Amino acid sequence: MPLLNEVSPGIFVVHLPLPMKPSIVNVTLVCGGDEWALIDTGLHSEESLAALRTAMDSAGCAPGQLRHIIATHHHPDHFGASQALRELTGAKVWIHRKEHESALHYAPGKRSDDVVAFFLRHGIPMYRFGRVPSPAEYWARLYQPARPDEFIDDGDEIEVGDLRFEVIGTPGHTQGHCVLYLRPRKLLIVGDHLLPKITPHVGLFPGGPQNPLADFLASQL
């Protein structure tokens, strides 16, 4: 599979490596004339960051031309390299407020008693397997999220040079998941709301919505 695929003039899908299945995550480079945007970031790993730099070079995007880093949601493969990329490029970081709040759950720390109680209540035998690492411990090296500069929400518009993307809220996979629509080209950048071969994961988690599947079904485009 090629690293870089131009799916529309100035719109490049980039396949970044993951150290687990699925073995890649798709991110999108957007050229809006005099400025560029990156939609989703990949993990914070040397391999992924090197692949992204190669893709940017191939597309003709110098680091200083990247003005916007826009995340569809907070998961590590979509937002994990946002801090490193902001330091590299100086770009403004955009994400939904609920996604920023969820990203804080990955900050270093131990799993709380409430979270353990949630898992036990739902039949997960936490103590049978010995010590189960928390998300913060598991993702520590690979997840370095930036503090956002701007929050996005359903109905917002983001200008990237001469392009204007509409933000559409699509909760379900995560509480504040958003997709980006370029209406003149009928082009939709979907994050994990739609996947080519599998269905997106929609599940319960501590402190989350009580019926995320209903949110997901209600947000179908």
Side-chain angles (χ1 to χ4, degrees), residues 161-202:
D162 55 11
L163 302 178
R164 179 174 294 178
F165 287 90
E166 300 173 31
V167 178
I168 302 173
T170 51
H173 179 64
T174 60
Q175 292 187 84
H177 192 290
C178 292
V179 301
L180 299 168
Y181 187 43
L182 189 58
R183 187 172 294 274
R185 302 194 197 181
K186 297 182 178 180
L187 188 149
L188 188 68
I189 299 172
V190 297
D192 276 350
H193 186 63
L194 298 172
L195 298 172
K197 295 182 180 180
I198 58 175
T199 56
H201 175 266
V202 178

Side-chain angles (χ1 to χ4, degrees), residues 35-52:
E35 64 180 31
W36 289 71
L38 176 67
I39 301 172
D40 293 331
T41 70
L43 290 174
H44 181 262
S45 71
E46 291 184 7
E47 185 181 12
S48 183
L49 288 167
L52 180 58

Side-chain angles (χ1 to χ4, degrees), residues 103-115:
L104 297 178
H105 295 170
Y106 285 90
K110 295 181 179 180
R111 186 177 279 115
S112 71
D113 292 340
D114 289 342
V115 169

Side-chain angles (χ1 to χ4, degrees), residues 23-90:
S23 58
I24 62 166
V25 61
N26 294 333
V27 304
T28 308
L29 271 171
V30 174
C31 179
D34 61 349
E35 64 180 31
W36 289 71
L38 176 67
I39 301 172
D40 293 331
T41 70
L43 290 174
H44 181 262
S45 71
E46 291 184 7
E47 185 181 12
S48 183
L49 288 167
L52 180 58
R53 285 298 306 273
T54 298
M56 290 172 63
D57 290 344
S58 297
C61 173
Q65 293 176 290
L66 189 68
R67 305 291 176 78
H68 309 276
I69 297 169
I70 308 165
T72 59
H73 63 298
H74 74 280
H75 284 161
D77 53 336
H78 291 261
F79 196 49
S82 52
Q83 179 60 31
L85 291 171
R86 178 163 64 186
E87 291 173 359
L88 173 68
T89 66

